[in-house]
Amino acid sequence: MEKIDIAATARTPHLSFDPATGIFVLEGESYPEDTKKFYDTPLSNVYSFLEKDVDVKAVFTFKLKYFNSSSAKVLMDLFLAVEESAARGNAFKIEWHYASDDDNMQELGEEFAEELEKAEFAMVAF
């Protein structure tokens, strides 16, 4: 599996994933014109990674300033896939970064965290 590194644009986030280290980063704003087209190929690689037994503690870092409802669906699907993999014994940590004065992003992170039991979820204010 190859590394993924997609640069951010005005409408899409920086997306990177290194399967060798298990480091995943999604940073910026996410409201692509075609959410499926933007996320399908890179996340299919991430889903393939999640289906395997992983020998590293993978860290999924989210530093989003804004995302639309179709991106929220993508995020929830990804969180649920991480949760399923963690339930099979893989060690995963999700870090939800948000500006300390952004109550909306904090609440969204807390809502995502409520859906998880096996994957570690950390709220990180900056």
Side-chain angles (χ1 to χ4, degrees), residues 43 46-52 60 73-88 90 92 94 115-116 118-119:
L43 289 188
V46 176
Y47 288 133
S48 293
F49 172 83
L50 292 171
E51 290 173 359
K52 299 176 182 176
F60 289 76
K73 170 78 168 106
V74 169
L75 293 175
M76 180 50 79
D77 289 347
L78 180 57
F79 290 148
L80 293 176
V82 169
E83 177 69 5
E84 288 175 15
S85 189
R88 289 193 315 273
N90 289 317
F92 291 118
I94 297 172
E115 301 298 320
L116 307 175
K118 301 294 183 186

Short mmCIF file of all heavy atoms in Angstrom, two decimals, residues 43 46-52 60 73-88 90 92 94 115-116 118-119:
data_model
loop_
_atom_site.label_atom_id
_atom_site.label_comp_id
_atom_site.label_asym_id
_atom_site.label_seq_id
_atom_site.Cartn_x
_atom_site.Cartn_y
_atom_site.Cartn_z
N LEU A 43 -9.57 6.95 0.56
CA LEU A 43 -10.11 6.23 1.71
C LEU A 43 -10.27 4.74 1.46
O LEU A 43 -10.25 3.95 2.40
CB LEU A 43 -11.43 6.86 2.18
CG LEU A 43 -11.28 8.23 2.84
CD1 LEU A 43 -12.60 8.69 3.44
CD2 LEU A 43 -10.19 8.23 3.92
N VAL A 46 -7.25 3.42 2.91
CA VAL A 46 -7.32 3.45 4.37
C VAL A 46 -8.19 2.29 4.86
O VAL A 46 -7.83 1.59 5.81
CB VAL A 46 -7.83 4.81 4.88
CG1 VAL A 46 -7.99 4.79 6.39
CG2 VAL A 46 -6.89 5.93 4.45
N TYR A 47 -9.32 2.07 4.22
CA TYR A 47 -10.20 0.95 4.60
C TYR A 47 -9.49 -0.39 4.44
O TYR A 47 -9.65 -1.29 5.28
CB TYR A 47 -11.50 0.98 3.80
CG TYR A 47 -12.44 2.10 4.20
CD1 TYR A 47 -13.04 2.89 3.25
CD2 TYR A 47 -12.73 2.36 5.53
CE1 TYR A 47 -13.90 3.92 3.61
CE2 TYR A 47 -13.58 3.37 5.91
CZ TYR A 47 -14.17 4.15 4.94
OH TYR A 47 -15.01 5.17 5.31
N SER A 48 -8.69 -0.54 3.40
CA SER A 48 -7.92 -1.77 3.22
C SER A 48 -6.95 -1.96 4.39
O SER A 48 -6.79 -3.07 4.90
CB SER A 48 -7.13 -1.73 1.91
OG SER A 48 -8.00 -1.77 0.82
N PHE A 49 -6.31 -0.89 4.81
CA PHE A 49 -5.42 -0.92 5.97
C PHE A 49 -6.18 -1.35 7.21
O PHE A 49 -5.71 -2.18 8.00
CB PHE A 49 -4.80 0.48 6.16
CG PHE A 49 -4.01 0.65 7.41
CD1 PHE A 49 -2.68 0.25 7.47
CD2 PHE A 49 -4.56 1.25 8.53
CE1 PHE A 49 -1.94 0.43 8.63
CE2 PHE A 49 -3.83 1.44 9.68
CZ PHE A 49 -2.51 1.02 9.74
N LEU A 50 -7.39 -0.81 7.41
CA LEU A 50 -8.17 -1.10 8.61
C LEU A 50 -8.66 -2.54 8.65
O LEU A 50 -8.96 -3.06 9.73
CB LEU A 50 -9.37 -0.15 8.69
CG LEU A 50 -9.02 1.32 8.94
CD1 LEU A 50 -10.25 2.19 8.79
CD2 LEU A 50 -8.39 1.50 10.31
N GLU A 51 -8.74 -3.20 7.52
CA GLU A 51 -9.21 -4.58 7.48
C GLU A 51 -8.14 -5.58 7.90
O GLU A 51 -8.44 -6.74 8.17
CB GLU A 51 -9.70 -4.92 6.07
CG GLU A 51 -10.98 -4.20 5.71
CD GLU A 51 -11.37 -4.39 4.25
OE1 GLU A 51 -10.62 -5.07 3.50
OE2 GLU A 51 -12.41 -3.84 3.87
N LYS A 52 -6.89 -5.12 8.00
CA LYS A 52 -5.77 -6.01 8.33
C LYS A 52 -5.45 -5.96 9.83
O LYS A 52 -5.88 -5.05 10.54
CB LYS A 52 -4.53 -5.59 7.54
CG LYS A 52 -4.73 -5.66 6.05
CD LYS A 52 -3.51 -5.14 5.32
CE LYS A 52 -3.77 -5.20 3.82
NZ LYS A 52 -2.70 -4.63 3.06
N PHE A 60 -5.14 8.64 13.98
CA PHE A 60 -5.94 9.37 13.01
C PHE A 60 -6.17 10.77 13.57
O PHE A 60 -6.84 10.93 14.59
CB PHE A 60 -7.27 8.66 12.78
CG PHE A 60 -7.14 7.38 12.02
CD1 PHE A 60 -6.66 6.23 12.62
CD2 PHE A 60 -7.49 7.32 10.68
CE1 PHE A 60 -6.52 5.05 11.92
CE2 PHE A 60 -7.36 6.15 9.96
CZ PHE A 60 -6.87 5.01 10.57
N LYS A 73 -20.67 12.65 6.78
CA LYS A 73 -21.01 11.24 6.52
C LYS A 73 -19.73 10.44 6.27
O LYS A 73 -19.57 9.33 6.79
CB LYS A 73 -21.96 11.15 5.33
CG LYS A 73 -22.19 9.76 4.81
CD LYS A 73 -23.16 8.97 5.66
CE LYS A 73 -23.60 7.69 4.97
NZ LYS A 73 -23.01 6.50 5.51
N VAL A 74 -18.82 10.99 5.49
CA VAL A 74 -17.54 10.33 5.22
C VAL A 74 -16.78 10.12 6.53
O VAL A 74 -16.23 9.05 6.79
CB VAL A 74 -16.70 11.14 4.22
CG1 VAL A 74 -15.27 10.63 4.13
CG2 VAL A 74 -17.35 11.14 2.84
N LEU A 75 -16.75 11.16 7.37
CA LEU A 75 -16.05 11.06 8.65
C LEU A 75 -16.66 9.98 9.53
O LEU A 75 -15.93 9.16 10.11
CB LEU A 75 -16.08 12.40 9.38
CG LEU A 75 -15.29 13.54 8.75
CD1 LEU A 75 -15.53 14.83 9.52
CD2 LEU A 75 -13.82 13.22 8.68
N MET A 76 -17.99 9.96 9.62
CA MET A 76 -18.64 8.96 10.47
C MET A 76 -18.35 7.55 9.96
O MET A 76 -18.06 6.65 10.75
CB MET A 76 -20.14 9.21 10.56
CG MET A 76 -20.86 8.19 11.43
SD MET A 76 -20.13 7.93 13.07
CE MET A 76 -20.73 9.33 13.95
N ASP A 77 -18.42 7.36 8.66
CA ASP A 77 -18.10 6.04 8.10
C ASP A 77 -16.67 5.64 8.43
O ASP A 77 -16.41 4.48 8.78
CB ASP A 77 -18.30 6.03 6.58
CG ASP A 77 -19.77 6.10 6.18
OD1 ASP A 77 -20.66 5.91 7.04
OD2 ASP A 77 -20.03 6.38 4.99
N LEU A 78 -15.75 6.59 8.36
CA LEU A 78 -14.35 6.30 8.68
C LEU A 78 -14.20 5.97 10.17
O LEU A 78 -13.52 5.00 10.52
CB LEU A 78 -13.47 7.48 8.30
CG LEU A 78 -11.97 7.34 8.58
CD1 LEU A 78 -11.38 6.11 7.90
CD2 LEU A 78 -11.24 8.61 8.14
N PHE A 79 -14.84 6.74 11.04
CA PHE A 79 -14.77 6.46 12.48
C PHE A 79 -15.31 5.07 12.80
O PHE A 79 -14.75 4.34 13.61
CB PHE A 79 -15.54 7.51 13.29
CG PHE A 79 -14.92 8.86 13.30
CD1 PHE A 79 -15.71 10.00 13.38
CD2 PHE A 79 -13.55 9.04 13.24
CE1 PHE A 79 -15.16 11.26 13.39
CE2 PHE A 79 -12.98 10.31 13.25
CZ PHE A 79 -13.79 11.41 13.33
N LEU A 80 -16.40 4.69 12.14
CA LEU A 80 -16.99 3.37 12.39
C LEU A 80 -16.06 2.25 11.90
O LEU A 80 -15.96 1.21 12.54
CB LEU A 80 -18.37 3.28 11.75
CG LEU A 80 -19.43 4.18 12.38
CD1 LEU A 80 -20.74 4.08 11.62
CD2 LEU A 80 -19.62 3.87 13.86
N ALA A 81 -15.37 2.48 10.79
CA ALA A 81 -14.41 1.49 10.30
C ALA A 81 -13.22 1.37 11.26
O ALA A 81 -12.73 0.26 11.52
CB ALA A 81 -13.93 1.86 8.90
N VAL A 82 -12.77 2.48 11.80
CA VAL A 82 -11.70 2.46 12.80
C VAL A 82 -12.18 1.70 14.04
O VAL A 82 -11.46 0.86 14.60
CB VAL A 82 -11.25 3.90 13.17
CG1 VAL A 82 -10.34 3.89 14.39
CG2 VAL A 82 -10.55 4.56 11.99
N GLU A 83 -13.41 1.97 14.45
CA GLU A 83 -13.98 1.30 15.62
C GLU A 83 -14.05 -0.22 15.41
O GLU A 83 -13.69 -0.99 16.30
CB GLU A 83 -15.37 1.86 15.91
CG GLU A 83 -16.10 1.19 17.05
CD GLU A 83 -15.53 1.46 18.44
OE1 GLU A 83 -14.58 2.27 18.58
OE2 GLU A 83 -16.02 0.84 19.39
N GLU A 84 -14.50 -0.64 14.24
CA GLU A 84 -14.58 -2.08 13.94
C GLU A 84 -13.19 -2.72 13.98
O GLU A 84 -13.03 -3.83 14.50
CB GLU A 84 -15.22 -2.30 12.58
CG GLU A 84 -16.70 -2.02 12.54
CD GLU A 84 -17.28 -2.14 11.14
OE1 GLU A 84 -16.62 -2.70 10.24
OE2 GLU A 84 -18.41 -1.66 10.95
N SER A 85 -12.21 -2.04 13.44
CA SER A 85 -10.84 -2.56 13.44
C SER A 85 -10.29 -2.62 14.87
O SER A 85 -9.63 -3.58 15.25
CB SER A 85 -9.95 -1.71 12.54
OG SER A 85 -8.70 -2.32 12.37
N ALA A 86 -10.59 -1.61 15.65
CA ALA A 86 -10.15 -1.60 17.06
C ALA A 86 -10.83 -2.73 17.84
O ALA A 86 -10.21 -3.36 18.69
CB ALA A 86 -10.47 -0.25 17.69
N ALA A 87 -12.08 -3.02 17.52
CA ALA A 87 -12.80 -4.11 18.19
C ALA A 87 -12.16 -5.47 17.88
O ALA A 87 -12.29 -6.41 18.68
CB ALA A 87 -14.28 -4.09 17.78
N ARG A 88 -11.49 -5.57 16.75
CA ARG A 88 -10.78 -6.81 16.39
C ARG A 88 -9.39 -6.87 17.03
O ARG A 88 -8.64 -7.81 16.79
CB ARG A 88 -10.66 -6.92 14.87
CG ARG A 88 -11.98 -7.20 14.17
CD ARG A 88 -11.80 -7.61 12.71
NE ARG A 88 -10.85 -6.81 11.97
CZ ARG A 88 -11.15 -5.67 11.33
NH1 ARG A 88 -12.38 -5.20 11.36
NH2 ARG A 88 -10.22 -5.01 10.67
N ASN A 90 -6.95 -4.19 17.02
CA ASN A 90 -5.95 -3.20 16.57
C ASN A 90 -5.99 -1.98 17.50
O ASN A 90 -7.05 -1.59 17.98
CB ASN A 90 -6.23 -2.78 15.13
CG ASN A 90 -5.90 -3.89 14.15
OD1 ASN A 90 -4.88 -4.55 14.27
ND2 ASN A 90 -6.77 -4.09 13.17
N PHE A 92 -5.87 1.83 18.00
CA PHE A 92 -6.10 3.06 17.25
C PHE A 92 -6.41 4.21 18.18
O PHE A 92 -7.11 4.04 19.18
CB PHE A 92 -7.27 2.91 16.27
CG PHE A 92 -6.99 1.98 15.13
CD1 PHE A 92 -7.74 0.85 14.96
CD2 PHE A 92 -5.97 2.24 14.24
CE1 PHE A 92 -7.49 -0.02 13.91
CE2 PHE A 92 -5.71 1.39 13.19
CZ PHE A 92 -6.47 0.25 13.02
N ILE A 94 -7.82 8.25 17.84
CA ILE A 94 -8.35 9.34 17.03
C ILE A 94 -8.14 10.62 17.83
O ILE A 94 -8.53 10.70 18.99
CB ILE A 94 -9.85 9.14 16.73
CG1 ILE A 94 -10.05 7.88 15.89
CG2 ILE A 94 -10.42 10.37 16.04
CD1 ILE A 94 -11.50 7.48 15.71
N GLU A 115 -19.90 7.70 19.64
CA GLU A 115 -20.18 6.52 18.83
C GLU A 115 -19.11 5.44 18.96
O GLU A 115 -19.27 4.35 18.43
CB GLU A 115 -20.30 6.91 17.35
CG GLU A 115 -21.40 7.92 17.07
CD GLU A 115 -22.79 7.41 17.44
OE1 GLU A 115 -23.07 6.21 17.18
OE2 GLU A 115 -23.58 8.18 18.00
N LEU A 116 -18.03 5.74 19.68
CA LEU A 116 -16.89 4.83 19.76
C LEU A 116 -16.71 4.27 21.16
O LEU A 116 -16.89 4.99 22.14
CB LEU A 116 -15.62 5.56 19.32
CG LEU A 116 -15.69 6.25 17.96
CD1 LEU A 116 -14.41 7.02 17.71
CD2 LEU A 116 -15.94 5.25 16.85
N LYS A 118 -14.19 1.18 21.46
CA LYS A 118 -12.90 0.48 21.44
C LYS A 118 -11.74 1.37 21.01
O LYS A 118 -10.63 1.24 21.52
CB LYS A 118 -12.97 -0.73 20.52
CG LYS A 118 -14.02 -1.74 20.92
CD LYS A 118 -13.67 -2.38 22.24
CE LYS A 118 -14.70 -3.45 22.59
NZ LYS A 118 -14.49 -4.01 23.91
N ALA A 119 -11.97 2.26 20.06
CA ALA A 119 -10.91 3.16 19.59
C ALA A 119 -10.77 4.30 20.60
O ALA A 119 -11.76 4.86 21.07
CB ALA A 119 -11.24 3.71 18.21
#
